[in-house]
């Protein structure tokens, strides 16, 4: 074997080793990223989760198209984790939580399960579900702060990751003042889950988001208003009755 042939062979071998090491490194990083994503969402390989959807109050029981879009956003996340989803309507999802990851979409006025989750897991949140038009319709009361919706201009949505114990699978809530805000929250989660995972780990959190000018920008322009975890999890004191009951 001449020196030139030997050099060519050694070069091919070195290139092959470099390519193999590069592939191993990329595979390791990809797997580590996937495991972190699966841990954050509580979705190990081949696990099952629930997608609980509300019904549009003004649409003869149909699911609002923006809520369908939210389900599609979440379905892509679930598929990326190599998990499987079961879609249930809010009025038939009669089971506990913690055994399977759950994604619950819609406000308490159109989603009974969301109302139950807010009562049990976020007792510091009050949402006006009065169907009559008015400035406080759909308003959020979180602790001492109130957030009113300006339709099409500034609307709010709660994005929460909640657990009942350290080993329990999480419940994700997408509780908005309008259906388009539910989609905005699901898209925000899909785009920012890595940042949220780094900040919160696998702990519970509740974020208040504002959807800006949805009539022009749809669900794409979202601002983080505040991390309201503490106030949302703190029960609201019962109002004092200043009048003595008579009988």
């Amino acid at each position: 074997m001449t020196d030139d042939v030997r050099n060519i062979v050694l070069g091919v071998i070195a290139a092959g080793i470099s390519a193999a090491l590069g592939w191993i490194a990329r595979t390791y990083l990809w797997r580590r990223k996937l495991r972190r994503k699966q841990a954050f969402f509580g979705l190990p390989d081949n696990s099952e989760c629930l997608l609980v959807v509300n019904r549009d109050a003004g649409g003869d029981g149909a699911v609002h198209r923006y809520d369908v879009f939210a389900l599609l956003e979440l379905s892509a996340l679930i598929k990326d984790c190599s998990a499987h989803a079961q879609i249930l309507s809010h009025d038939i999802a009669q089971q506990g939580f913690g055994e399977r990851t759950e994604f619950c979409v819609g406000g308490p006025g159109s989603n009974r399960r969301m109302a139950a989750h807010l009562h049990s897991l976020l007792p510091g949140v009050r949402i006006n579900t009065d169907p009559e038009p008015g400035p406080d319709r759909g308003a959020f009361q979180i602790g001492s702060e109130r957030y009113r919706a300006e339709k099409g201009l500034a609307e709010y949505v709660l994005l929460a990751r909640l657990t009942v114990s350290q080993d329990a699978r999480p419940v994700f809530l997408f509780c908005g003042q309008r259906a388009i805000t539910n989609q905005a929250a699901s898209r925000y989660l899909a785009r920012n889950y890595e940042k949220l995972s780094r900040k919160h780990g696998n702990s519970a959190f509740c974020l208040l988001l504002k959807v800006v000018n949805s009539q022009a920008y749809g669900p794409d322009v979202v601002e983080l208003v505040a991390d309201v975890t503490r106030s949302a999890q703190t029960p609201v004191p019962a109002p004092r009755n200043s009048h003595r009951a008579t009988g």
Side-chain angles (χ1 to χ4, degrees):
M1 181 181 294
T2 65
D3 290 342
D4 290 340
V5 173
R6 183 183 299 108
N7 290 336
I8 292 173
V9 171
L10 292 175
V12 170
I13 293 174
I17 293 174
S18 297
L21 291 175
W23 178 84
I24 292 172
R26 287 192 299 271
T27 301
Y28 170 77
L29 293 175
W30 174 80
R31 288 187 179 277
R32 186 174 67 171
K33 182 178 179 181
L34 175 61
R35 295 294 178 252
R36 288 177 177 175
K37 184 175 184 179
Q38 290 176 324
F40 177 75
F41 288 108
L43 295 172
D45 287 336
N46 297 316
S47 58
E48 293 187 354
C49 66
L50 295 179
L51 285 171
V52 181
V53 65
N54 63 346
R55 295 293 180 89
D56 183 11
D60 296 327
V63 179
H64 196 286
R65 66 188 182 99
Y66 287 119
D67 288 329
V68 173
F69 295 154
L71 295 179
L72 292 175
E73 301 267 6
L74 297 173
S75 296
L77 284 176
I78 295 166
K79 183 178 180 181
D80 287 345
C81 292
S82 300
H84 311 285
Q86 178 184 6
I87 300 177
L88 292 178
S89 174
H90 71 101
D91 51 356
I92 63 173
Q94 298 175 342
Q95 52 191 292
F97 47 84
E99 293 185 4
R100 290 187 287 179
T101 294
E102 177 182 337
F103 301 88
C104 191
V105 177
S110 59
N111 188 324
R112 297 178 191 172
R113 192 161 176 86
M114 178 66 74
H117 286 329
L118 292 177
H119 178 76
S120 301
L121 304 174
L122 297 177
V125 176
R126 295 288 184 269
I127 299 178
N128 188 330
T129 57
D130 189 348
E132 296 299 322
D136 285 333
R137 182 180 180 182
F140 289 177
Q141 182 81 29
I142 306 173
S144 60
E145 299 294 329
R146 177 167 295 183
Y147 303 90
R148 294 184 175 94
E150 299 178 60
K151 186 175 180 180
L153 298 176
E155 297 145 321
Y156 296 92
V157 56
L158 289 173
L159 169 61
R161 180 192 190 276
L162 306 170
T163 56
V164 293
S165 67
Q166 185 174 0
D167 297 329
R169 297 284 174 83
V171 177
F172 289 87
L173 304 183
F174 307 83
C175 180
Q177 293 176 326
R178 293 179 61 212
I180 195 170
T181 63
N182 298 330
Q183 184 192 1
S186 65
R187 183 167 294 182
Y188 182 92
L189 178 65
R191 291 176 174 175
N192 296 280
Y193 75 86
E194 292 183 77
K195 183 190 302 183
L196 295 173
S197 178
R198 287 193 297 269
K199 182 176 182 179
H200 302 281
N202 295 332
S203 301
F205 63 80
C206 181
L207 307 179
L208 179 67
L209 308 175
K210 180 168 72 173
V211 183
V212 179
N213 201 359
S214 63
Q215 63 185 359
Y217 304 127
D220 285 335
V221 181
V222 179
E223 297 177 356
L224 173 61
V225 178
D227 183 333
V228 296
T229 307
R230 179 173 297 180
S231 55
Q233 291 182 326
T234 303
V236 177
R240 294 182 179 180
N241 188 354
S242 59
H243 299 284
R244 181 175 298 177
T246 59

